[in-house]
Amino acid sequence: VREKERFSSAYKNASNIRQIIGLTNSTVDLSDMLPKNNTLYALMSFDEGIDYGKYADKSLKELFEHIKSLALILNKYHQNGYLHLDIKPENVLILPETAEHVKLFDFDSLQSLKELQEGKNLLLSFSDGFSAPEQAHGKFAKIGFHTDIYSLGAILFYKLFNKKADFLDGSRTAIYNFASMNYKDIRYQPLFYRKLTEFLRKTLALSISSRWNNIAVVIEKLD
């Protein structure tokens, strides 16, 4: 019964999210919820595309465009008081038309920040390597907008280095081996690597006080 109530709540939140201007074409299209076989089923549309876990960006520029597209979607979530809390490559659909438009799905972890702060529906899962430490450790009182921002940095790190970030990558003095990253180019200037180091440190920070908490700042840095 508890799981059904949680699923129903998640469905309601996802439906509300889809009504927000700017998110209608960027989130999963839920058409109905049906009780059957002593459980609940969510009906959703079929979308053509490939999940980001199986997609190889054609360039570093395209990679940043995809991360920025995700950040813009999250900005709408956050502006309307929601957290996604399960941003990982497999939950991002790359559409064939353009690199500037992606779709975010898997609504089961979607959470209203207000309900989270009130202690409701606190049965959150996490995705190893992509969820922030406070989420993975079940520290619900510390979850906030910065929690989704960690996941953005984790996806970028994964796409750059073909591995998941660990606790060393989230330290304030983390050093990243850009010589081994995908899309490396001798024409990149030292300033670029300093900016990229800052971006990774401020999104992957283990300490929430050291992590960016405003998605608008993330978008600005990606630009």
Side-chain angles (χ1 to χ4, degrees), residues 94-129:
I94 303 299
L95 304 176
E97 292 84 4
T98 172
E100 297 178 358
H101 185 197
V102 300
K103 180 166 284 192
L104 193 54
F105 55 99
D106 194 343
F107 65 89
D108 191 38
S109 63
L110 183 63
Q111 185 73 52
S112 160
L113 183 59
K114 182 176 182 292
E115 290 183 349
L116 187 67
Q117 292 171 339
E118 292 173 350
K120 298 178 180 179
N121 301 318
L122 298 185
L123 290 174
L124 300 179
S125 59
F126 70 94
S127 296
D128 184 46

Side-chain angles (χ1 to χ4, degrees), residues 16 47 54 72 79 83 95 97-98 103-104 125 142 154 160 177 211:
N16 290 338
D47 292 298
K54 299 176 182 176
L72 289 170
Q79 286 176 342
L83 303 175
L95 304 176
E97 292 84 4
T98 172
K103 180 166 284 192
L104 193 54
S125 59
K142 293 187 175 182
L160 283 174
N177 183 14
R211 199 183 314 151

